[in-house]
Amino acid sequence: MTIYGHFRTRADLIEATLADALGSGEEVLKQVDLTGEPRAVLRELLLSSWSLVWQSSALLAAAEGTLGEERIRELHEAPAQQLEGLIRRGQDSGAFRTDLPTLWLVNAVHYLLHGAATEVRVGRLAASDAAYVVSQSVDALLVPSR
């Protein structure tokens, strides 16, 4: 029996695989201590997140073409909430900008991570540079200008 024998449609297979990958990723991200200085915690969270995003970039590309943005966003809810809490804490402490909505900043970080994965996948960004590029881009996005 093929793997398709366990799923009604290709979309069901992709969704189950993505949900499994995100569940494994959540376990990795739970290991990140979120109690430190917000910028340092964010860098650690981004490094952990980047490796997960990169490892599952082909799966995400398949999901984008099959599941739709809304369902993908729903599946990413737990890590998005973790990031949202960190950004809010950083905003409260003055480490992160407050002139833009928190949810916009969460989504922008999400898009930067996934955009970097796409750039690596198509050869416009070296995989070895991606974590640094993402970290610097997110820092520029979140840190208030002096």
Side-chain angles (χ1 to χ4, degrees):
M1 177 180 284
T2 68
I3 196 163
Y4 288 107
H6 297 281
F7 300 94
R8 280 188 318 106
T9 65
R10 180 176 187 270
D12 289 345
L13 169 63
I14 291 171
E15 182 170 338
T17 306
L18 182 60
D20 184 62
L22 288 167
S24 297
E26 283 179 44
E27 292 304 314
V28 170
L29 295 178
K30 284 180 183 176
Q31 304 305 313
V32 177
D33 179 8
L34 298 177
T35 61
E37 191 276 320
R39 286 181 68 189
V41 172
L42 181 64
R43 277 190 294 279
E44 180 65 30
L45 191 61
L46 286 172
L47 288 175
S48 297
S49 297
W50 167 250
S51 64
L52 295 169
V53 168
W54 174 236
Q55 290 168 8
S56 62
S57 65
L59 175 58
L60 182 62
E64 287 171 345
T66 305
L67 301 180
E69 185 62 34
E70 187 59 34
R71 183 63 185 138
I72 291 170
R73 191 176 301 272
E74 289 170 3
L75 292 168
H76 280 86
E77 186 65 30
Q81 287 177 346
Q82 186 180 29
L83 179 59
E84 181 181 347
L86 175 59
I87 290 175
R88 286 190 192 283
R89 189 166 65 80
Q91 288 174 318
D92 292 345
S93 73
F96 298 147
R97 66 189 309 156
T98 58
D99 61 322
L100 296 174
T102 304
L103 291 178
W104 170 255
L105 296 173
V106 169
N107 289 329
V109 171
H110 172 87
Y111 289 129
L112 282 168
L113 280 164
H114 291 279
T118 298
E119 292 298 299
V120 171
R121 194 172 58 250
V122 300
R124 291 188 295 244
L125 178 63
S128 59
D129 295 337
Y132 175 79
V133 169
V134 168
S135 179
Q136 292 299 302
S137 298
V138 169
D139 204 47
L141 171 70
L142 293 180
V143 176
S145 54
R146 308 258 185 248

